[in-house]
Amino acid sequence: MVTIYDIAEKANVSAMTVSRVINNTGRISEKTRAKVKKVMEELNYVPNQMARSLVLQQTRSLFLLITDITNPFYTTLSRGAEDAATKNGYRLLFGNSDESLEKEADYINTILTTRVDGVMIAPAGDPSLPHLESLKRHNIPFVLLDREVPGVDCDIVLGDSKEGARQLVNHLAQQGHRRIAMVNGSDTISSARLRLEGYREALILNGLAYDKTIVFETSYGPRTDLSEMEAWLDSLNPLPTAVVAGNNVLAIEVIRLLRKRSLRIPDDISIVCFDDFGPYSEVDPFMTVAAQQAYQFGYLGMQMLIDRIQNKDEAGPWKKIVLPAELLIRRSVSTIK
Amino acid sequence: MVTIYDIAEKANVSAMTVSRVINNTGRISEKTRAKVKKVMEELNYVPNQMARSLVLQQTRSLFLLITDITNPFYTTLSRGAEDAATKNGYRLLFGNSDESLEKEADYINTILTTRVDGVMIAPAGDPSLPHLESLKRHNIPFVLLDREVPGVDCDIVLGDSKEGARQLVNHLAQQGHRRIAMVNGSDTISSARLRLEGYREALILNGLAYDKTIVFETSYGPRTDLSEMEAWLDSLNPLPTAVVAGNNVLAIEVIRLLRKRSLRIPDDISIVCFDDFGPYSEVDPFMTVAAQQAYQFGYLGMQMLIDRIQNKDEAGPWKKIVLPAELLIRRSVSTIK
DNA sequence: AAGTAAAATGTTACCGATAACTCTAATTTA
DNA sequence: TAAATTAGAGTTATCGGTAACATTTTACTT
């Protein structure tokens, strides 16, 4: 491995002079600068970021931890985050926790040991609290995405889950649906709680009763085994005329089960969900959704994070951005006379 | 920041003893070990990976560079890579080059300066050559994904692009299509060249002429401006009865343009493409595709990479894995009498 | 009880960079 | 022309760990 000492020796200067050329600091004569640069090229020199970070006590890199890399909500969010990070001269690294607290813990460990300058994180849920406390303890600035965690004060970007759920249910009610089921993410996740609340409130506002036997709670992430969900679905008698899914992944899984039973959508049963399907909705604009501004989640969150990092001393009040969801009416809901 | 020296002082031992406790190396009495561990907990000690990597000359982390984080082919591939990396005790970092040579160069720089142990990379194209040479020069093991780069010898995982394209065209021909257009990725990308070749060969085998005016070449990645593609589409007279898209992203963009013209699929025009849409095909199994084994790309590639890293000295011959594509017939192709 | 092997711990140097300070030669100023 | 700046370098210490070697304890032999 070529080091600044190798360069220094070959160029007949001190290592410090090489460092100055690399970083464009201090005073260097044009002649020496040229000489050093030439040697660097000749030897294919690449600075060692670890050595540098060790002394500088900063890495110029940020971390984005999402819970499902195959979910277009998060990949679109990632693009927003990436754009904002790059624009500000930061390197962005990604991690995927898979909605798992254990994987999240591993990534938190990576984050702490590699001393990144800041973190954007979609927490696995309320039990992520110790992970976030750990970040706090070690003074690593972070921004929460999409999910609040009780007991944690920080900058955060949220979607308006309650209002989004209300819109979905209102739409179904307006189309004449009276028996509306819900498949939702875990109760330990703030957005799931709010979506359930919105669902409930909208039911009542539309003169419908809330019936907890037609609400199924599970994980937001894709599961390998659908049998539990299947058992729940089979237990419903009569079948609901519509299902609200807590996110796009759940919607797909419900659809898979419905297809298995040869139930047609929307003829036999209607379905709506949170989050759009990225570009794939265009292939066939089928699902009626409450679309969230995924790109903005990432972009705005990243701006907040960088802001926080660069003004670490000032420590203004915590900021909270709430982005509204938009109801996109497509073909997955039937009208009931 | 708490260091091993802080621990050492408080526990009344030397820094080396602390290091030994952390790494479970050397001989330590149970009493000291317990004492040191207690102090580490009290002070919330987290090892500094940079300092460690600096002396160990290895990071235990790998890098995966993909070209489109919003493409389900790559996100599914990522999951495969992640699983294989985690299983082997490696940390995996992701980067997204967006099919851009410049962004790729930035990531290569990150890779070199951060001294990761190995890299899996879907190169932006043939012009990625210098980037890969750079990795070689600095002795960083890498595995290529999905795309060959002339002039580079290395381990690689490929899809059978030629055969996949043949299958798509054969299917169209069997359904009676005679005028089959193609929208393809850049000629600087090996998979695009092979897909074009497969398309061409299959045309001829089906007694159809190859007409280069109905082949449009562009980037695989999503573009913000569709006007060029639109102009090409408008120039086609008569309109082809079917379009083969070089990947899923291109298929979506073609569909967007066709919809804009109120052309119905498959009634007015049929479309097929390479790569499936991940779970989203389930929402509405619409598009007939040559599905690639995305997860396997990542998983097998990662295994090769780790193998190469762990047997760096042995240096066996370069390995090449070619994964077949599977034709999934759905509803986007009409039958012409 | 003295000698020795094994176990437990400590010392020193180094990984590759940069900050802070020092030094020398050239240039400016009075 | 001597004194004071200033430009252009170099020296040394340090970031937080670990390897290799050195040393001290402890346990075991005879």
Side-chain angles (χ1 to χ4, degrees), chain A residues 61-65 77-88 90-94 118-121 143-145 155 157 295-310 321:
Chain A
S61 56
L62 306 175
F63 206 98
L64 171 60
L65 183 54
L77 182 156
S78 297
R79 284 300 323 278
E82 195 184 13
D83 286 350
T86 309
K87 218 179 80 177
N88 287 278
Y90 283 88
R91 181 180 301 135
L92 182 61
L93 304 170
F94 302 88
V119 185
M120 288 224 296
I121 172 170
V143 169
L144 245 40
L145 295 172
D155 294 321
V157 188
Y295 186 91
Q296 290 300 317
F297 267 73
Y299 197 91
L300 298 176
M302 189 52 83
Q303 282 195 321
M304 275 206 292
L305 177 60
I306 292 173
D307 213 61
R308 193 59 76 177
I309 291 169
Q310 295 182 341
I321 297 178

Side-chain angles (χ1 to χ4, degrees), chain B residues 10-308:
Chain B
K10 194 150 182 211
N12 253 307
V13 294
S14 75
M16 199 55 222
T17 299
V18 178
S19 174
R20 288 190 182 107
V21 171
I22 295 169
N23 297 290
N24 258 305
T25 53
R27 302 181 219 275
I28 299 283
S29 72
E30 267 320 309
K31 212 179 87 197
T32 344
R33 184 190 304 280
K35 185 171 62 178
V36 170
K37 282 203 164 163
K38 187 157 151 275
V39 176
M40 290 200 309
E41 293 235 332
E42 276 171 27
L43 300 186
N44 284 308
Y45 172 73
V46 174
N48 185 322
Q49 184 60 43
M50 275 146 204
R52 181 182 270 165
S53 296
L54 192 55
V55 48
L56 290 181
Q57 301 284 32
Q58 61 146 358
T59 57
R60 252 342 240 182
S61 56
L62 306 174
F63 205 98
L64 171 60
L65 184 54
I66 56 180
T67 61
D68 184 3
I69 195 181
T70 63
N71 186 327
F73 171 69
Y74 285 115
T75 56
T76 308
L77 181 156
S78 298
R79 283 302 323 280
E82 195 185 12
D83 286 351
T86 309
K87 218 180 78 176
N88 287 277
Y90 283 87
R91 181 181 298 136
L92 182 61
L93 304 170
F94 301 88
N96 171 36
S97 74
D98 244 344
E99 300 280 1
S100 141
L101 225 51
E102 291 72 44
K103 288 196 188 178
E104 182 174 288
D106 282 350
Y107 274 113
I108 292 291
N109 191 44
T110 296
I111 286 164
L112 292 175
T113 59
T114 55
R115 306 285 201 268
V116 294
D117 295 351
V119 185
M120 288 225 295
I121 172 171
D126 295 354
S128 297
L129 178 62
H131 298 161
L132 303 175
E133 287 175 337
S134 191
L135 291 177
K136 280 235 155 151
R137 238 195 328 270
H138 291 92
N139 244 331
I140 299 184
F142 63 93
V143 169
L144 245 39
L145 296 173
D146 191 45
R147 303 166 180 190
E148 241 162 340
V149 172
V152 178
D153 291 317
C154 62
D155 293 321
I156 187 165
V157 188
L158 293 169
D160 193 343
S161 284
K162 204 164 173 182
E163 177 57 23
R166 275 198 220 108
Q167 287 183 39
L168 289 172
V169 173
N170 279 341
H171 174 65
L172 289 171
Q174 279 158 19
Q175 301 306 306
H177 292 270
R178 312 265 94 191
R179 186 165 160 80
I180 301 169
M182 182 172 200
V183 176
N184 199 16
S186 161
D187 182 51
T188 62
I189 299 175
S190 70
S191 67
R193 285 193 295 269
L194 289 169
R195 286 167 199 187
L196 180 62
E197 244 180 78
Y199 160 82
R200 209 166 159 165
E201 286 182 12
L203 284 181
I204 291 162
L205 283 171
N206 284 281
L208 304 171
Y210 168 71
D211 171 2
K212 74 173 198 283
T213 67
I214 60 172
V215 172
F216 183 67
E217 180 195 321
T218 177
S219 155
Y220 271 140
R223 64 228 83 233
T224 39
D225 179 15
L226 287 179
S227 58
E228 242 189 289
M229 195 187 286
E230 194 164 15
W232 168 75
L233 208 64
D234 286 338
S235 78
L236 301 179
N237 196 352
L239 212 62
T241 63
V243 179
V244 177
N247 75 352
N248 49 8
V249 173
L250 290 167
I252 289 169
E253 294 178 337
V254 169
I255 287 178
R256 192 183 305 160
L257 290 175
L258 296 176
R259 287 250 162 72
K260 198 171 158 193
R261 276 160 191 64
S262 305
L263 290 165
R264 289 160 309 154
I265 305 167
D267 313 75
D268 299 320
I269 189 164
S270 297
I271 183 162
V272 297
C273 72
F274 247 90
D275 296 330
D276 206 352
F277 294 85
Y280 317 103
S281 325
E282 283 192 62
V283 174
D284 190 26
F286 175 76
M287 182 84 77
T288 292
V289 300
Q292 301 208 80
Q293 304 177 46
Y295 186 90
Q296 291 300 318
F297 267 73
Y299 197 90
L300 298 176
M302 189 53 83
Q303 282 195 322
M304 275 206 291
L305 178 61
I306 292 172
D307 213 61
R308 194 58 79 176

Side-chain angles (χ1 to χ4, degrees), chain A residues 59-76:
Chain A
T59 56
R60 254 339 253 168
S61 56
L62 306 175
F63 206 98
L64 171 60
L65 183 54
I66 57 180
T67 60
D68 183 2
I69 197 181
T70 63
N71 185 326
F73 171 69
Y74 284 115
T75 56
T76 308

Side-chain angles (χ1 to χ4, degrees), chain A residues 171-237:
Chain A
H171 174 65
L172 290 171
Q174 279 159 20
Q175 301 305 307
H177 292 271
R178 312 266 95 191
R179 184 165 163 81
I180 302 170
M182 182 171 198
V183 175
N184 200 16
S186 160
D187 183 51
T188 62
I189 299 175
S190 70
S191 67
R193 286 192 295 270
L194 288 169
R195 285 169 198 184
L196 180 62
E197 245 180 76
Y199 159 82
R200 207 167 160 163
E201 286 183 12
L203 284 180
I204 290 163
L205 283 171
N206 284 281
L208 304 172
Y210 169 71
D211 171 3
K212 73 173 196 289
T213 67
I214 61 171
V215 172
F216 182 68
E217 181 196 318
T218 178
S219 154
Y220 270 140
R223 68 225 80 234
T224 39
D225 177 16
L226 287 179
S227 58
E228 242 188 290
M229 194 187 283
E230 195 163 13
W232 168 75
L233 206 66
D234 286 339
S235 78
L236 300 179
N237 195 353

Side-chain angles (χ1 to χ4, degrees), chain A residues 156-168:
Chain A
I156 186 165
V157 188
L158 293 170
D160 193 343
S161 284
K162 204 166 175 178
E163 177 57 22
R166 274 199 219 106
Q167 286 182 40
L168 289 172

